[in-house]
Amino acid sequence: MEGQTKSVASQGGKLTSEQLAAIDDEQVLNDMLDKAVDFDERRMLRAALRELLNKKREQRERERGSRQQDLRQKGVCSGSHPVGDGTNKALGQTNGRGATQKTAAQSKASLPPASSHSNPSTSTTKAPVCMGEAAVPNSKNVKQMLLDWCRAKTEPYEGVNIQNFSSSWADGLAFCALVHRFFPEGFDYCTLDPYDRRANFEKAFKTAEKLADCACLLDVDDLVRMPEPDWKCVYTYIQEFYRCLVQKGLVKTKKRTL
């Protein structure tokens, strides 16, 4: 951003439309607009800013269209049942949406045990605190298995790349993909906007609460205010969602839940 500003400034003289068209960062144009005093220059900057925003919006629409087409081909749009993933195949079990089989090479994978904390008395109860790694025995292993499970379940979904329990969930798409995996009738994943974080969080949590009886343990306003969610809070919510799926028979586990 700073480099583009210095590049334009170093050319001297009045700004030209060609110089402004070469700027692809809206913050640079906003900063230049704040500093500009000449009327014509401000007019050109506003026009360049509108053009840049239009280009970015068109690019998002193209990317969304491509993502929708890809997801339809993979069978994860508009209520269709997504294909099985390596986690369910590893156990040779069903997830309530379709049976899957697994090769011997994949059989080492396993699902994490469901969260042992009790279900809140009502679906709207907020969790008073977030669970840390010390909350359950062998929590590091459980955390990694749960992360691997989330990654396997959301693998077909464009725009989702789960690597941790914090930044990977920041735009809300990971929550939506995980919920949609088990409840594709809840909403159309292909219509989601990766830039509308609030709508994505609300869509995922409300659908999980309605169809999985999963208490909304995360506050949308807090999530929107933070660039990245607290991993302990995300981890706690995913544990609760997993436990609810086990109770509904949508996920099979060899260990009994409390």
Side-chain angles (χ1 to χ4, degrees):
M1 181 178 72
E2 184 178 354
Q4 287 187 324
T5 303
K6 290 182 177 179
S7 176
V8 173
S10 64
Q11 297 179 26
K14 289 189 175 182
L15 290 174
T16 66
S17 56
E18 290 77 11
Q19 290 174 330
L20 295 178
I23 299 176
D24 57 5
D25 191 323
E26 59 190 270
Q27 186 59 49
V28 171
L29 292 175
N30 277 319
D31 291 343
M32 294 174 66
L33 184 60
D34 290 339
K35 298 175 182 179
V37 294
D38 182 77
F39 176 80
D40 290 334
E41 187 174 289
R42 291 179 62 84
R43 178 179 55 80
M44 292 176 62
L45 284 165
R46 284 194 293 266
L49 184 59
R50 286 195 298 269
E51 182 65 23
L52 177 59
L53 292 176
N54 286 334
K55 287 181 179 179
K56 288 190 174 183
R57 183 164 51 250
E58 291 172 358
Q59 178 64 25
R60 289 198 298 268
E61 291 300 324
R62 287 194 296 270
E63 292 174 353
R64 189 184 307 173
S66 176
R67 185 173 73 250
Q68 290 174 354
Q69 182 178 2
D70 183 58
L71 289 175
R72 289 191 181 96
Q73 291 175 352
K74 292 181 180 179
V76 294
C77 281
S78 300
S80 59
H81 301 320
V83 296
D85 58 58
T87 307
N88 268 358
K89 290 180 180 179
L91 298 177
Q93 298 168 336
T94 65
N95 66 357
R97 300 293 172 187
T100 58
Q101 300 296 326
K102 168 108 172 138
T103 64
Q106 295 172 317
S107 61
K108 295 182 181 179
S110 61
L111 286 175
S115 171
S116 61
H117 65 280
S118 59
N119 190 29
S121 57
T122 64
S123 61
T124 57
T125 303
K126 299 292 180 66
V129 295
C130 297
M131 295 174 61
E133 286 191 345
V136 292
N138 301 319
S139 59
K140 288 186 178 180
N141 291 336
V142 173
K143 179 186 174 186
Q144 186 59 50
M145 285 192 293
L146 191 62
L147 187 66
D148 292 341
W149 176 76
C150 292
R151 186 183 299 117
K153 289 297 181 182
T154 58
E155 187 276 332
Y157 290 80
E158 187 72 20
V160 178
N161 181 21
I162 296 178
Q163 299 296 326
N164 53 53
F165 282 112
S166 182
S167 59
S168 297
W169 306 77
D171 61 7
L173 288 183
F175 288 109
C176 289
L178 188 61
V179 172
H180 187 271
R181 181 71 190 225
F182 292 94
F183 304 101
E185 72 279 10
F187 56 90
D188 187 352
Y189 180 86
C190 295
T191 63
L192 300 178
D193 183 353
Y195 297 94
D196 194 344
R197 300 173 65 209
R198 177 180 293 277
N200 295 338
F201 290 134
E202 291 177 346
K203 180 76 70 176
F205 300 153
K206 288 180 180 179
T207 303
E209 184 174 12
K210 177 181 178 181
L211 301 181
D213 298 324
C214 180
C216 187
L217 305 179
L218 297 176
D219 186 270
V220 174
D221 289 334
D222 288 342
L223 292 173
V224 172
R225 280 195 294 267
M226 296 184 295
E228 296 180 1
D230 186 327
W231 76 264
K232 302 184 200 68
C233 295
V234 175
Y235 179 47
T236 299
Y237 180 82
I238 300 303
Q239 281 186 309
E240 174 66 11
F241 181 64
Y242 180 86
R243 189 191 64 79
C244 292
L245 295 177
V246 171
Q247 284 194 337
K248 287 185 172 294
L250 299 179
V251 169
K252 305 296 182 181
T253 176
K254 293 180 180 179
K255 296 185 179 181
R256 294 177 57 188
T257 58
L258 300 178

